[in-house]
Amino acid sequence: MIAGFALGHMDACSSQLLLFEAYNFRHRHKSPFLSRNHDYHIHPFPSANKKSTAYPSSSCISSSNFGLGYPMATRPDGSYPRKIITTSDHLRHVDSMGTLPSGTGKISYLNAVILGDSLASEENDLVLPSPEFSSQALIPSSDKYIEMYRRSIVDPAGFWSEIASLFYWKQKWSDQVYSENMDVRKGPINIEWFKGGITNVCFNALDRNVQAGLGAKTAIYWEGNEPGQDGSLTYTDLLERVCQLANYLKDIGVGKGDAVVIYLPMLMELPIAMLACARIAAVHSVVFAGFSAESLAQRITDCKPKAVITCNAVCRGSKVIHLKDIVDTALVESAKNGVSVDVCLTYENQSAMKRETTNWMEGRDAWWQDTVPKFPTTCDVEWVDAEDPLFLLYTSGSTGKPKGVLHTTGGFMVYTATTFKYAFDYKLSDIYWCTADCGWITGHSYVTYGPLLNGATVIVFEGAPNYPDPGRCWDIVDKYKVTLFYTAPTLVRSLMREGNEYVTRYSRKSLRVLGSVGEPINPSAWRWFFNVVGDSRCPISDTWWQTETGGFMITPLPGAWPLKPGSATFPFFGVQPVIVDDKGTELEGECSGYLCVKSSWPGAFRTLYGDHERYETTYFKPFPGYYFSGDGCSRDKDGYHWLTGRVDDVINVSGHRIGSAEVESALVSHPQCAEAAVVGVEHEVKGQAIYAFVTLVEGVPYSEELRKSLVATVRNQIGAFAAPDNIHWAPGLPKTRSGKIMRRILRKIASRQLDELGDTSTLADPSVVDQLIALRDC
Ligand code: WTA
């Protein structure tokens, strides 16, 4: 690795330490939340209380036939024989490095649980697709996966052009299906897919499906905050609504390449707005409607939109949030920064707020309901090049300034649609619900584009998952007969705490495949999701990916591979994940290190808006030749991938990415805060929580009131989801002699691991550590 390489605020050495701290931490602790076991020993006698009692067997299941036709003799007590599974030799690590996911070969495993047959109850259970599941699956076996994966790596151009041909292209892409340079040493980073191909994502998601006969099929079921409030749109309805809005946008002067900021809650109008932009080649930038006015202003200032689309208010649970007021404040702020927006299209969300009480600026503001429906229900498509931008989405990095992740048209379309189809084993009859908000990437790729491109029926839910009670999700599952349910571990953990009764009072019979995203799912939450929510019938697709990757990168394909609770398993087609050490050397076989990706995939982001240099520095310079994800990962001896969390200064709170620097800069903007350092600590429900060390201005006394006011500052500047759980008073911060804050020490103090502070002698003032320890409960 090149000398002097730095990861955000950390030097390579301390980030390496952090990674392995995180890794060891998980392995050392015995709490079910943290523990997992990579040693798949053969247990001659299973524990007596297990439902799936098993006995030693010599039956050997090769990857080519597990899930299909293996011996299934039931024992008299109703349990199933234990299995010894051997992955095919194709997966042997030594053979596989060239084209296949790295794995050492055999999975010798005795706690085999077969879908629908028994509970997953042991730490090291291996969950196999049942023969019934596999036989109907799109990828019915690991052999099929291996065949397709191999092709996708050996011949990416052929593999992806065949898939891309399933979509409508006004003009086919050029002979060169893709071109890439992922190596900073060879010049500027550049990724292009299907260049020269002329298409439109909205056309492919709507018109193409209507033309294929899906016009009368429900595209969106909308479920409001209050049970009983609902609505639905067929594909034809959706197309008409999108066209009306597209015509309106054109009428106010929005054209190809113009940015439109969308600040809406989960109303049908949110995907409608995204698709309307896509139709006319405007670039949408959705800002999660939980961000504060200041964050919204920052994003508006950066992308200079022609219009902002919002609604007057929203109810989340029993709270009313006045979104239009937040937009008003943001627009005053962005105008101060020289960016004024001419149009604010406002949807009247009547159940939350009447228009009469909404603050209004004549000339700038327009009611959606008064204007949009007047426009024609057809609208010509703006045909674009595959490499024309589709959208911008701001995400947190390790500096205070959010990054505008830019995705383009063709590759994103092909990739989200394909990953959706295979990872959820999608069938036309499925009813799909992803609980993510369209303010995050998951709502872009897997509420809106991926599913609609497949002609799927999706649920858009406005409310909170625990309102009016923690059974709401399963109420919705039964109401719409949801078959595919995709959510975040934080939600699983919070519902798990409420007890099984909220789940078991609903049938959930319709469920077929479950999904998880946003953070590593701890095995105990995995098992609860599997056993209780899915009645041990439904495979769980634990999908690892990022805003930057556009779509799934490492994910189970239900039907193809046995699952290990807590592992995202194997790479998706065309993705070559590698684990490198701090020198950037690829590690082979069983290992732990930094997760990188070798060579491009169609859904990859192409740049950071207005800052290609930052794109290269953040993602491609740390390990030249690779895309660096910012995540730590270990791979077990069977080749399964286990994500261990971020290794940079990004904190993952309930699946929301928050840069520690963003929170720090909000804190120091408080007049009484002199300095702040923010770290993430483990949290039972949220995964990680924000823990802030705050040094006050000289002479200011500590007080509860000040603590609240500091937290309020973060809420106001970023949003409630970024509020610190802890403010730890710090007379000083542990710094090196060169002034660098030693976050490693702060993390240990925050997580009360005082015996693991390590060497503090390199600190400019080692006594700071004792002061911090003394103040930990103040
Ligand atoms: C984390 C969300 C473990 C990871 C799609 C990544 C995960 C960050 C998983 C991206 C998973 C996402 N297992 N960790 N299945 N999925 N992550 O950009 O740390 O909001 O880097 O995209 O979430 O968060 P982002």
Side-chain angles (χ1 to χ4, degrees), residues 568-580:
T569 73
F570 294 100
F572 191 73
F573 305 129
V575 175
Q576 287 182 279
V578 293
I579 299 177
V580 301

Side-chain angles (χ1 to χ4, degrees), residues 441 518-520 542-547 631 643 646 652 657:
I441 189 67
E519 49 174 319
D542 174 7
T543 60
W544 176 79
W545 61 295
Q546 309 179 294
T547 305
D631 278 331
L643 278 301
R646 301 288 308 193
N652 191 332
R657 274 167 70 166

Side-chain angles (χ1 to χ4, degrees), residues 245 248-249 252 261 263-265 267 269 307-314 322-328 331 343-350 353-355 357-361 364-373:
L245 181 62
Y248 167 83
L249 290 172
I252 60 165
V261 163
Y263 187 72
L264 278 171
L267 302 172
E269 283 63 26
V308 173
I309 303 179
T310 189
C311 71
N312 53 352
V314 65
H322 296 112
L323 296 180
K324 174 69 164 49
D325 289 349
I326 296 173
V327 173
D328 288 347
L331 289 176
V343 178
C344 177
L345 180 67
T346 309
Y347 184 81
E348 183 187 6
N349 195 15
Q350 282 192 3
M353 188 184 196
K354 297 279 175 256
R355 63 169 68 187
T357 49
T358 306
N359 289 322
W360 206 247
M361 190 199 264
R364 184 197 67 186
D365 301 344
W367 286 113
W368 178 309
Q369 285 93 331
D370 290 355
T371 49
V372 176

